[in-house]
């Protein structure tokens, strides 16, 4: 998955990033959304997920990003730490 790939989810964009480290892959995601003031970006919204394949690492990070977005939608007053 390229660095410019974004996944659309409930009005948000999930931006995964994966890097190879030895035989394993590490992935995390930023999340962003457009608002009247521009694009609001939550960098490093997920922790690093290490897996044997790039696809597995990205899938794990994206699953966590989806949970983060669902939490923000459920309680907009809560922001990512």
């Amino acid at each position: 998955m390229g660095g410019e790939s974004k996944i659309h989810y409930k009005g948000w964009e999930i931006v995964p990033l994966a890097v190879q480290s030895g035989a394993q892959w590490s992935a995390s995601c930023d999340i962003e959304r457009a608002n009247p003031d521009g694009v609001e970006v939550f960098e490093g919204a997920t922790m690093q997920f290490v897996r044997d394949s790039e696809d597995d690492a990205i899938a794990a990070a994206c699953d966590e990003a989806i949970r983060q977005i669902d939490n923000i939608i459920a309680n907009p007053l809560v922001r990512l730490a």
Side-chain angles (χ1 to χ4, degrees):
M1 178 172 276
E4 294 301 314
S5 296
K6 294 182 179 183
I7 299 162
H8 306 285
Y9 181 73
K10 294 185 179 180
W12 290 73
E13 304 289 340
I14 298 171
V15 186
L17 173 65
V19 295
Q20 192 169 15
S21 178
Q24 293 190 309
W25 286 85
S26 177
S28 66
C29 291
D30 295 343
I31 58 175
E32 55 187 46
R33 69 175 169 186
N35 64 38
D37 298 322
V39 176
E40 183 177 20
V41 177
F42 297 90
E43 293 181 350
T46 68
M47 58 187 242
Q48 294 288 323
F49 289 86
V50 178
R51 301 289 188 271
D52 290 334
S53 75
E54 179 182 19
D55 288 343
D56 288 348
I58 289 172
C62 289
D63 286 346
E64 176 62 19
I66 287 168
R67 281 191 291 279
Q68 294 285 0
I69 292 168
D70 287 342
N71 288 340
I72 292 169
I73 291 169
N75 188 353
L77 298 178
V78 174
R79 290 287 183 227
L80 299 172

